[in-house]
Amino acid sequence: MNLQALHKLGYGVYVVCSRKGDKFNGQIANTLFQVTSDPPTVAVSINKKNLTHEYIEESRIFTASVLCQDTPLPFIGRFGFKSGRDIDKLDGVKYKIGVTGAPVILENAVSYIEARVIQEIDVLTHTIFIGEVINADIVTEMVCMTYEYYQQVKGGKTPVTAPSYITPEKKEIKNMPSKYVCKICGYIYDPAKGDPENGVTQGTAFEDIPQSWVCPVCGASKTEFEKTS
């Protein structure tokens, strides 16, 4: 069975937020879809281990911001590979408080939806929250980011807790320059490509990257990388 076939399904990249009392949190989600049009309802799949799951279960509300194609990887990494138990994910991020009282991410957003949970479905490791849309709006007319674009063009990785995560096969690669993988988010540093956006030119060996350099996806330091080939 080739589970890579599942990657051909259509996905987007969204920041889903909720609240618990006066506390806010958000995470990256790629499984969000419309269920009905009258009344308008949407469904989102959230891992039970995630803090956002806990917040949605208690408050029964969530917001979802559709990210634009030009969203920087560090922004996605902040919401996708860091935990709200360790940092305030919304610190320094442009957002507003929506009609639900939950935060609505406006930074890098094309549009947003606010919903009230009307049903939930237990699906093993995840819960599908179905929400009635109570508010929505367009933020910009920029192009939406698809999950395929995020992975194939921007080189983004899938968090282990994501519904679409598939354990990668280990392949033995010989006679290739040494690559290093981030143990936090799975980003692979390839010397042949470098990291030009962050000042590391093509052909730079991992050992020669300045110690101040951090993972462009999740912000992890060089010490969090390990050799892959």
Side-chain angles (χ1 to χ4, degrees), residues 140-202:
T140 72
E141 295 298 333
M142 298 180 70
V143 177
C144 302
M145 183 186 294
T146 64
Y147 206 64
E148 183 177 37
Y149 184 92
Y150 163 70
Q151 290 186 315
Q152 296 186 5
V153 178
K154 296 184 78 70
K157 302 300 177 184
T158 303
V160 175
T161 56
S164 59
Y165 179 79
I166 297 175
T167 303
E169 296 181 6
K170 294 184 178 181
K171 299 180 180 179
E172 183 178 356
I173 303 176
K174 299 179 180 180
N175 302 320
M176 293 291 287
S178 296
K179 300 177 183 179
Y180 285 75
V181 61
C182 176
K183 294 182 290 185
I184 305 300
C185 71
Y187 167 82
I188 296 177
Y189 174 77
D190 184 351
K193 298 178 179 178
D195 182 18
E197 292 185 4
N198 294 292
V200 181
T201 59
Q202 294 180 355

Side-chain angles (χ1 to χ4, degrees), residues 1-137:
M1 179 168 62
N2 185 1
L3 292 178
Q4 299 299 322
L6 296 174
H7 284 167
K8 299 304 180 182
L9 297 175
Y11 296 96
V13 183
Y14 316 97
V15 179
V16 174
C17 294
S18 190
R19 64 178 171 84
K20 182 178 181 181
D22 59 354
K23 296 180 180 179
F24 299 146
N25 194 58
Q27 66 162 78
I28 291 294
N30 66 353
T31 308
L32 175 75
F33 56 94
Q34 184 173 350
V35 181
T36 63
S37 60
D38 186 17
T41 59
V42 295
V44 64
S45 180
I46 304 292
N47 191 287
K48 294 177 182 178
K49 295 180 179 179
N50 291 357
L51 186 62
T52 302
H53 184 283
E54 176 185 323
Y55 282 21
I56 296 175
E57 273 213 317
E58 177 161 317
S59 67
R60 313 303 293 171
I61 56 173
F62 64 87
T63 69
S65 297
V66 182
L67 296 185
C68 71
Q69 189 167 276
D70 294 333
T71 302
L73 282 179
F75 183 88
I76 298 175
R78 179 182 188 85
F79 285 96
F81 294 99
K82 295 182 182 295
S83 173
R85 296 181 177 91
D86 302 323
I87 67 167
D88 178 359
K89 292 188 181 183
L90 276 67
D91 184 29
V93 175
K94 183 180 179 181
Y95 71 94
K96 71 174 185 177
I97 303 301
V99 298
T100 62
V104 176
I105 302 300
L106 300 175
E107 189 170 340
N108 300 307
V110 174
S111 63
Y112 65 83
I113 297 167
E114 299 186 70
R116 181 185 299 110
V117 176
I118 57 175
Q119 186 178 350
E120 60 183 87
I121 303 172
D122 188 309
V123 192
L124 302 177
T125 57
H126 290 66
T127 298
I128 297 175
F129 293 103
I130 301 175
E132 181 177 358
V133 178
I134 58 176
N135 190 36
D137 204 357

